[in-house]
Each structure stands twice: as structure tokens, then as C-alpha cells.
Amino acid sequence: MQDRTVDEGDDKPYAAPPAAVLQEFDVDPAQGLSDAEADRRRERYGPNTLRHAPRVSAFEIFVDQLKSPVVWLLAAAAALSLILGDITECVAILLVLVINTATGFFSEIRAVRSMEALRQLGVQSAQVRRDGALHRIPAEALVPGDIVFLEAGDLVAADLRLVEAANVWCDESTMTGESVPVEKSLDPVPPDTILADRNCMLHKGTALVRGTALGVVTATGMKTELGRITDLVLEAEPESSPLDRKLQQLMGQIVWVVIVIAALTTLVGVLGGRDLPLMIEAGVALAVAAMPEGLPIVATIALARGMWRMARRNVLVERLSAVETLGSTTVIFTDKTGTLTENRMTVEALWLPRGEYRIGDGAIADAHGNDASDDPALIRALRVGVMCSSASLGQEGKDEAGEEGTGDPMELALLRAGRIAGLERDTLLAEWPEIGQEAFDTATKMMATVHHTDGALVMLVKGAPEAVLGASTGQLGDKADRVKLDRGYWLDAAEKMAEQGLRVLAFAEKETADPAATDYEDLLFIGLIGLRDPPRADARDAILACREAGIKVIMVTGDHAVTGRKIGEAVGIADSATPAVTGSELKPLAEQDEAERQGLLATRILARVSPEQKLDLITLYQSEGEIVAMTGDGVNDAPALEKADIGIAMGQRGTEVAREAADIVLRDDAFSSIVAAIREGRVIFGNIRRFLLYLLSCNFSEVMVVALAMLAGLPLPLLPLQILFLNLVTDVFPAFALAAGEGEKDVLQQPPRDPREPLLARRHWGFIVFYGVLLTIATLSALLLAEYWLELEGDAVVTVSFLTLGLGQLWHVFNMRGANAGVFRNAVTANPYIWLSLELCVGLIFLAMLISPVAEALRLVHLDAKAWGLVLACSLAPLVVGSLVHPVLRLWRKRRG
């Protein structure tokens, strides 16, 4: 056999008839390839495997922690301390570096597992025809041109063009998002047909749920659709979270400020005749003072606490910074099936000769709202639906949506509807024994069962409305008699039901003399039945909460447009006038003009979109400055989950690939859980901003105290080791307490933050400077009074300034109350962790003075009562002044607004 196969991916086998595809791959379906030819093609195309991104090693993650300018600055400070001979100070600074590096390392180490999960979708073996005989071979040994045989339950090992098919239905939900199995056929489709509608193809990673098939391999490995999605995952660079970016920006700014202040202070001191080693020590003190060493630890703990709270709401967090990212979300791209809906097909309506019937909440009602569960016409229609079936509901009525049962989702829905009317399949079959069955056939689009009853044989039929109507010659009359069939009326009725987003089936029956004969002729048409995957009960309220929170919700579904639009109306995403845009209507983002982009930004429902189009949508919104959250459950969602600012996977029905690519996993698959997580994210961001204000105002005061003292020719008021003690002990624990706040009740009624707003805006820097100046004035006042009023010297003066600033920073935590909060009753005073942190920090300060080795290292000495009185008075002054100024600022903001 000559090797004249085409390159994989260069053709469109779904657009050609089976014979042409077989000819293109130079293979006879009755014989298959020879082993020798298969070996030659394997050398040409390679194994049928997926490539994967190299795993990031723990060492690489560790090295990344050392690339921060903050680390470099503190390392330089440690080196200078070593050069100056202060070993204790050097060791202390290095200890801070170790703590921060370890915190970053253990919080960020996260293996890249998406590709392993993709590879696991590849089956271990496949039945292939080689040299005229069927063999089971490893899946990676498949080559283009191989003839593969599949039956119900098999996973597809490569992309195949069907050449033979007998009642083939395939579950493609992981690839396309289609919520129900898809019927397959041999007929070619147009070259521009989207993936979800290529019904003559079977794709790697999907599964046959019904029938048998023979197909020719058209693509293997990375050339398959699954391989193409793998490439998209590899190419979709995950966006760093807004919090990561803002913290990095803030820390970078602080580093430059530190360098400038330390250099200027040292230079001015040297030019003023001060001792060089002393000025270098002062420069080190300034560098250590300005850096909020506790910030990474506090941020990590704050996010971790949010993660624990979210876990109680069925939200599992893979990446800590994802907690905050949810809080800044401005756009949510949500799937339909299982997230907004129950992922459980349900009979919703019947259209019979007597009129329409509705099923809901365990009851059946006619058009007037009256109970119709014993209506003879209804019972006759549901009996066909229950008996003309191959599904089994089980004694407890459970199916795959948390209930026990097996079979097609729509047949299970029919069994549940029958149970509402008191019709049990087992009971009916005992009265009407089944003696024959004709499985659903793609050619006839119908299925039938034959039953024996009262000495007669009855054939029950269900199928596509146009097919059943075409085989019917009469319809059931109002008096249960046979009347003339009004085919046009029923076709219009079926179309109206479909326009409501229902999946429509038709029922019919006839008496027959031959139990083996299942000819679809001369049927008695009974009626239509409409099924739907209903919206979740809490979905509409959750969508409303998003709207009140200023968050846009956009449905991106693999289902049909009309179905998506109806669910969108039901849950409040759109109204009846809102159009749904399909993937076939979307141009690539690079080819869209400004008007088309704006039109897409205004769209709220998108259907039948491809993985590439999902990436384009995310890119479009991110380019507009939006923070994008993306939900998904299938293989086709993995690239978008990776690309979005926040990827949200479904825990119950999501594939392993989607879960590994996501930042957050919903254990209950409910949209309402996303809303709860968004609230938690907003609370976390507010807490982070609050403790940042606290830490930086404390650090600013330390910088100002050291810098002003040196410039004024005063003794060094704080030593580097003392500043480290303040930053890592007395600053961090109150910051922890602030991070544990529960948030305001109306947090979801506030609009989302402007994604372009920095972590700390101008007004926040004003707050930092104002309170930093108050703490600085109080500390330098204590220093001057201790030296000139109390006539203290040396370490005693430093001890007074150290205690004043340390205690002043502790009382400063009460200045972190809300803008409209009272002095004594507010979120800070109501937080029990605040009081615990104050008790702990005051105790640590006293222990530092009482334990001789620690006191010697910090150069602390005992003070008399007057000195302690001075410390208490000066340390309380910033809180008193702040409490007096706070209402004045509040009034000024109110008048200004």
C-alpha cells in the first residue's frame, strides 16, 4: 500500500463523503492498514499522545521568591549590618527574609496539572482493524488511516470520520458543552460547520453512549481537536491577579521611596559632619523601617481566612489571591447547564388534542390550572412515554442528577413525569408485556415498542415531531376516537414549543397483528411533549444580586441559541427582546471593527461558541479594563478558565481538566455560590486595604522619626533591631485582627471597584501621611521631653521613644474604623480579635523589657514612673487627635460630595 496520506489537519474530512475520505487516506475499511504501513505512518506522524507543559519545579518557585526588590533591599541591609559588625541585627534581618520567602514559597507552589488531566482523557486501548482482522492495541499506537470499531460505552481514542454508523449517539459535553447526547450520521456537512455540528465526526476524548460505529482515523495526538485545545491551554498565559499586580506595584514604589530617603538622609548627615558608620546604621534603620515586612504574611493569612469561609459556602479555592480577585470582578461569563439550570431534563408541557398541559412542582394542570393528573388523554400520552423507553428509574425514582437510574436523560424525564400521574413502568409492563422493540434509528428518527394487551398487540411510538407526523394518518379525538389528522396544526404547535426553548417529542400508537413488524405506517397521533433543563430556584435572585452589585452576567453556552435565550429570560440575564448571538456569527477579534466590538460588549447571551471564541471574548473584556470571571466544566472550557482573571470550575459535573485549570471550584455547581464568593472577595479586599493603611502609616511614622531625628542632630531614636521588632510583632498582630473583619452588611449593594484604581488611592496616601505625622510628632516629643525634661540619657531615651511609638501604633488600630462609624461603637471595637491582639502585643513589649537577653539585644532599660507617664501620654495623643479630626473630615467629605 502506498503512503499517499494527507497531512493531518490540512483537510476537512467532515465536509467529504466517507468514500472520499477513505480514498484520501488510502485505506480499505474491510482490511484496514497493514502493520508495516501503520509503522511507517507512526514514524511520520508520531504517537497518538498529547504534549504537555513542563512541570514547574519547587526550586524554580523558590528562586522566583528571591526576585523581589524587597528581598534585595533587605538583603543589602543585612549585608551592611554584617560589615558594621552588628551580627545580631544581621541575623534578625535575615530571619525576616527567611520567613517571608517561606511564606511566599508555600502559598504559591502549585503544580501545573492541567496537561496531565488532558492526557488522562486519552483511552488506554482501541479496537482497530489491521490486515483484515480486529485487534485491541494501545491508543497511542493509532495512526491516520486506521479503521477503528466502537460500541456503546467506548471512549474515542482519536478524531474519526464515520464510515459506518448504526444508531450512534455520542456524549460530547466535555468538548462542546452540549447538555445531551448528540446523534451521529454519515452525511457530510459544509466546510464552515462549527465543531458542535460536525455530526459525521467522533472526537478524541468523547464517548459513545449508544450504537456501534466504524470510523477512519483522520487526526492523532496534537492534531486532534483535543490536541488543539491542549495547545490553547499551553498558549493561554494565566493572568496575574489584580491583587498580585497591585501589591507588586505598591512594593516597587515603596522600595524606590526607601532608597531615596535612606540615601538622602545618609548623605545629608555625612555632609553635616556626622559619623559615617552612624549614618550608615541610620540608613539601614530607615530601610528596615520603611519596608512593611509583615505585609506578605498578613496578606496570606487574610486570604487564607477568606478561603476557609468560602469553603463553608461550597467554594474551594486553589489559589489564595483568587479570593480577592472575585471581589473585584466586573464581568461573569457563565455556563448554562448545571450552573443556571438543574442539569436535569424535566417534562414541562404537553400539547394534546384537548389542549395544553403543564407539569411542575410535582403536579399536572390543564390550561385553566385545574388538576389533570387523571385526565384520560394525558394518561394515554404519558403511558406511551413511559413504556416506549429503555430507561430505568429505580424504586426510589433516582437518576444521575443525584438520583438512582439509568438511561437517556430525556427518557428518565418521561419516567418521572409518568410517576407524577401514578404511572410506574414496571407496573405497566406487567399489564402490557413488551414483546418487541425497535431502537431509535437516525434514519427514521423514531423508536417503537410492541406490547400485548387484552388479546391484542399495540405498537407505541415516540420520536421527532416531523417524523411521527409523517407516519401518521389520524389523530386522537376528544372522545378517544380516531379523527382526521391536522398535520399543519401539529407542526405549528411543535414549532411554537421549540421557540420556547423546549425539546419536543411526539407520541403515537397503532394496533398491529405481527409482533415482529415495526413498520411506521398508519399511526394514530397522540400529541406532543416538551422537555427542558429548568432553571435553578436560586439563580434569578443570584443574578439580581449581581446586577445590584454592578456586575455584568453573560451566558456563554454550548447549547442552541433559542434554549439559551429562554433560560436567560427565566433567570433575568436578558428579556424577550434580547437577541442571542451564535458562534457562527462571530468574526475573529482581530477582524472586528469598533462598532462590532461594541455590539459584542452589549451582548448578554452567546451560544455555540468555540474555545478560541471564548478566549477572544475574555481578551475583549480585559482590554476594556474589566475583571473577568469565567465558569466552565468541559475540556473545551480549559483555555478560557486559564486565561480569565478568575477561572471557576464545576465540582460535580466538571472534568478534571477544567478543575485543574481553574482557580476556584464550586462543590454545588450553583451560580449563587459565585455570588457568595464575590461578597467574600469584596470583604477581603476591604480588610487588605484597611491593614495596609495601618501598616504603612506605622512604617511611615518610623521613617519620619528616624529621618527627622538625624537631620535635626538628635540621637538615633530607634535602632534597626527595634524597628524589626515593631514591624514583625506589634504591627503584625493588630493587622491580623483587622484582616479578620466580617465586612459591612451592604457590601454587595456597592458598585465594584474601578479595576484601574490602585490598591491605595490618593485619599488613602493622605490618610497614611496624616496619621504617620501624628505618630512622628508624638514620638519625637517623647524623645525631646525625655532628654530635656526628664534628663534621661543614652538607652533610656531610646527606650522612651521605642515604647511611645510601639504603644502609639497599637492604639492607632482604633483609627481604622469606617468613615461613618462612631468613636466607641464600630467594626473595630466590636472585633474580638482586636482586643486579643492588643493584649498579646502589650504583653510581648513587657516581656521584651523583662527578659534580659532580649532587652540587651534591643537595648531597652527599665523606666521610672515619670517616664512611663510620659510614654502613655504621648502614645495616646495620636488616637485622641485622630478621634477629634475624624468627624471633621467626615463632615468635609459630606459637604464636598
Side-chain angles (χ1 to χ4, degrees):
M1 185 176 292
Q2 296 180 345
D3 181 10
R4 56 185 183 85
T5 57
V6 297
D7 288 337
E8 294 175 289
D10 287 347
D11 59 340
K12 296 182 177 179
Y14 52 86
V21 178
L22 291 169
Q23 183 179 7
E24 189 72 36
F25 284 94
D26 195 19
V27 62
D28 178 358
Q31 292 295 316
L33 300 176
S34 66
D35 287 335
E37 177 63 18
D39 290 339
R40 284 195 294 271
R41 296 190 184 192
R42 192 173 304 110
E43 289 181 8
R44 178 178 181 180
Y45 298 117
N48 179 31
T49 56
L50 302 176
R51 72 183 176 92
H52 58 92
R55 179 180 289 269
V56 179
S57 68
F59 178 74
E60 290 173 309
I61 296 175
F62 174 75
V63 170
D64 283 340
Q65 309 306 310
L66 304 180
K67 295 179 180 178
S68 168
V70 176
V71 172
W72 302 343
L73 187 64
L74 291 178
L80 284 173
S81 297
L82 181 63
I83 292 172
L84 294 173
D86 196 335
I87 304 299
T88 302
E89 185 176 294
C90 176
V91 171
I93 296 175
L94 291 176
L95 180 61
V96 172
L97 281 176
V98 170
I99 293 173
N100 282 348
T101 301
T103 301
F105 175 79
F106 288 112
S107 65
E108 291 182 17
I109 188 168
R110 181 186 180 207
V112 182
R113 298 183 296 268
S114 292
M115 293 305 100
E116 284 88 356
L118 279 168
R119 292 201 304 280
Q120 289 170 4
L121 283 178
V123 295
Q124 298 301 309
S125 63
Q127 290 191 76
V128 61
R129 186 168 288 163
R130 295 268 177 88
D131 292 316
L134 276 177
H135 303 277
R136 184 166 289 278
I137 65 172
E140 59 265 25
L142 288 174
V143 297
D146 260 330
I147 301 299
V148 178
F149 174 77
L150 300 105
E151 53 191 350
D154 286 345
L155 291 178
V156 182
D159 283 1
L160 308 175
R161 172 58 164 97
L162 288 173
V163 295
E164 294 180 13
N167 191 29
V168 173
W169 290 73
C170 186
D171 179 1
E172 296 184 336
S173 58
T174 61
M175 188 68 68
T176 66
E178 180 69 52
S179 57
V180 296
V182 177
E183 178 186 358
K184 294 294 181 177
S185 70
L186 301 182
D187 299 331
V189 294
D192 59 351
T193 301
I194 63 173
L195 177 66
D197 293 332
R198 297 172 191 170
N199 292 331
C200 58
M201 297 290 296
L202 298 177
H203 296 292
K204 181 179 176 70
T206 61
L208 251 66
V209 296
R210 185 185 299 169
T212 58
L214 195 71
V216 56
V217 175
T218 59
T220 57
M222 294 301 295
K223 294 293 186 180
T224 62
E225 291 295 330
L226 185 60
R228 186 173 59 82
I229 293 173
T230 301
D231 263 335
L232 291 175
V233 175
L234 290 170
E235 294 169 3
E237 297 181 3
E239 297 286 321
S240 60
S241 78
L243 178 62
D244 290 336
R245 295 194 292 268
K246 289 172 181 176
L247 282 176
Q248 289 170 8
Q249 180 186 22
L250 176 64
M251 296 304 284
Q253 293 170 344
I254 291 174
V255 166
W256 284 110
V257 170
V258 168
I259 292 174
V260 171
I261 292 178
L264 284 176
T265 303
T266 303
L267 180 61
V268 171
V270 171
L271 293 177
R274 305 295 292 270
D275 185 54
L276 179 60
L278 177 63
M279 295 312 302
I280 292 176
E281 184 178 15
V284 172
L286 283 171
V288 174
M291 296 308 304
E293 292 87 357
L295 177 57
I297 301 173
V298 178
T300 299
I301 296 299
L303 292 171
R305 178 172 170 78
M307 179 184 70
W308 299 329
R309 287 202 293 249
M310 290 168 71
R312 294 198 294 267
R313 294 175 174 266
N314 293 315
V315 180
L316 302 180
V317 179
E318 287 283 337
R319 184 164 53 90
L320 285 179
S321 56
V323 178
E324 183 277 333
T325 309
L326 263 178
S328 60
T329 297
T330 58
V331 176
I332 301 175
F333 287 114
T334 179
D335 190 16
K336 173 183 69 69
T337 305
T339 308
L340 298 175
T341 68
E342 295 180 359
N343 193 28
R344 183 185 191 220
M345 294 301 292
T346 303
V347 174
E348 186 172 297
L350 292 94
W351 200 316
L352 305 178
R354 290 187 178 182
E356 291 186 69
Y357 298 79
R358 292 284 168 178
I359 300 180
D361 298 326
I364 306 175
D366 60 21
H368 304 290
N370 301 317
D371 179 36
S373 57
D374 59 352
D375 185 297
L378 178 83
I379 295 297
R380 190 164 180 173
L382 288 177
R383 186 171 60 202
V384 175
V386 171
M387 298 178 65
C388 186
S389 172
S390 56
S392 175
L393 195 57
Q395 292 298 317
E396 298 301 322
K398 296 183 178 181
D399 63 15
E400 79 252 0
E403 298 184 345
E404 209 176 286
T406 57
D408 182 87
M410 287 194 288
E411 291 191 342
L412 289 168
L414 293 173
L415 295 183
R416 287 193 295 270
R419 177 162 287 170
I420 293 174
L423 301 177
E424 295 288 345
R425 177 173 167 78
D426 291 342
T427 303
L428 290 174
L429 289 178
E431 301 174 2
W432 296 43
E434 182 180 309
I435 58 176
Q437 182 179 119
E438 180 74 14
F440 186 90
D441 188 282
T442 56
T444 63
K445 296 186 178 181
M446 290 181 283
M447 77 165 289
T449 55
V450 179
H451 302 265
H452 187 278
T453 177
D454 297 330
L457 296 178
V458 176
M459 184 171 76
L460 306 180
V461 178
K462 79 169 186 288
E466 64 274 13
V468 176
L469 284 166
S472 300
T473 57
Q475 70 181 54
L476 190 66
D478 290 343
K479 298 180 180 180
D481 53 347
R482 188 183 189 100
V483 299
K484 182 180 178 181
L485 177 66
D486 188 346
R487 187 173 284 107
Y489 169 81
W490 290 110
L491 287 174
D492 288 343
E495 184 176 351
K496 289 178 181 178
M497 294 178 76
E499 288 174 352
Q500 297 174 26
L502 298 174
R503 297 180 184 272
V504 186
L505 294 175
F507 295 153
E509 64 180 41
K510 77 169 186 177
E511 290 190 4
T512 182
D514 185 356
T518 53
D519 54 311
Y520 296 109
E521 297 177 356
D522 197 28
L523 299 180
L524 177 66
F525 188 82
I526 294 177
L528 303 169
I529 193 164
L531 304 95
R532 190 201 307 275
D533 181 10
R536 283 180 177 264
D538 57 358
R540 190 174 184 87
D541 289 340
I543 297 294
L544 178 60
C546 284
R547 186 176 293 117
E548 292 177 348
I551 300 170
K552 293 184 282 290
V553 180
I554 301 167
M555 182 195 298
V556 182
T557 177
D559 215 332
H560 295 282
V562 63
T563 305
R565 186 165 57 82
K566 287 299 179 182
I567 293 296
E569 291 178 32
V571 299
I573 290 178
D575 55 35
S576 57
T578 302
V581 175
T582 62
S584 60
E585 301 174 57
L586 293 178
K587 293 180 182 178
L589 187 60
E591 298 177 12
Q592 295 182 21
D593 58 30
E594 184 60 26
E596 289 170 327
R597 287 180 173 230
Q598 292 303 316
L600 186 54
L601 288 170
T603 301
R604 291 294 174 263
I605 299 175
L606 297 110
R608 314 293 271 185
V609 294
S610 68
E612 294 93 340
Q613 289 170 330
K614 290 180 181 179
L615 290 178
D616 278 351
L617 288 168
I618 293 171
T619 301
L620 174 62
Y621 274 89
Q622 288 177 337
S623 69
E624 294 291 318
E626 306 280 6
I627 301 299
V628 179
M630 174 78 191
T631 72
D633 59 355
V635 175
N636 60 319
D637 295 319
L641 292 172
E642 194 80 31
K643 174 68 175 173
D645 294 295
I646 187 77
I648 306 170
M650 303 299 112
Q652 293 182 351
R653 59 188 170 84
T655 61
E656 184 67 16
V657 179
R659 288 194 292 268
E660 297 297 346
D663 305 293
I664 286 176
V665 177
L666 302 183
R667 288 194 295 187
D668 59 359
D669 291 7
F671 188 86
S672 58
S673 294
I674 300 176
V675 178
I678 287 174
R679 183 194 185 281
E680 194 61 48
R682 290 190 175 188
V683 170
I684 289 298
F685 185 86
N687 289 343
I688 290 175
R689 177 171 276 174
R690 188 173 289 111
F691 73 63
L692 269 177
L693 292 174
Y694 175 76
L695 285 177
L696 292 181
S697 56
C698 290
N699 284 47
F700 179 73
S701 67
E702 293 164 6
V703 171
M704 293 299 294
V705 165
V706 173
L708 292 177
M710 297 308 298
L711 293 175
L714 298 174
L716 190 64
L718 293 171
L719 303 177
L721 202 56
Q722 292 176 339
I723 295 173
L724 274 178
F725 182 89
L726 292 176
N727 286 358
L728 291 178
V729 178
T730 59
D731 287 358
V732 168
F733 290 110
F736 281 162
L738 290 171
E742 296 293 333
E744 307 295 334
K745 293 182 179 180
D746 63 345
V747 67
L748 274 182
Q749 277 69 56
Q750 304 298 321
R753 300 184 314 276
D754 183 348
R756 292 163 293 190
E757 183 182 72
L759 195 59
L760 296 175
R762 181 178 300 177
R763 66 183 183 280
H764 301 118
W765 286 110
F767 178 98
I768 290 169
V769 171
F770 173 73
Y771 282 105
V773 168
L774 286 182
L775 289 167
T776 300
I777 293 173
T779 304
L780 291 179
S781 298
L783 183 146
L784 292 171
L785 289 171
E787 185 172 4
Y788 297 106
W789 176 49
L790 298 180
E791 299 181 347
L792 300 179
E793 297 179 349
D795 289 347
V797 174
V798 174
T799 300
V800 169
S801 58
F802 167 78
L803 291 174
T804 300
L805 185 57
L807 293 175
Q809 290 178 347
L810 292 180
W811 317 143
H812 174 50
V813 73
F814 294 109
N815 287 323
M816 298 298 107
R817 64 186 184 276
N820 299 316
V823 176
F824 300 106
R825 299 186 63 181
N826 54 66
V828 177
T829 57
N831 185 346
Y833 298 107
I834 291 291
W835 298 102
L836 288 175
S837 69
L838 294 182
E839 292 174 8
L840 175 63
C841 290
V842 170
L844 289 173
I845 289 174
F846 278 100
L847 284 176
M849 296 193 66
L850 294 175
I851 300 174
S852 296
V854 178
E856 291 176 5
L858 294 175
R859 291 170 57 180
L860 301 177
V861 298
H862 293 288
L863 302 177
D864 59 21
K866 284 187 176 180
W868 272 111
L870 175 64
V871 166
L872 290 175
C874 289
S875 66
L876 285 169
L879 174 61
V880 173
V881 174
S883 299
L884 295 174
V885 171
H886 201 81
V888 176
L889 291 175
R890 182 176 58 197
L891 181 61
W892 176 76
R893 286 198 194 105
K894 184 177 180 180
R895 289 180 176 177
R896 188 183 180 188

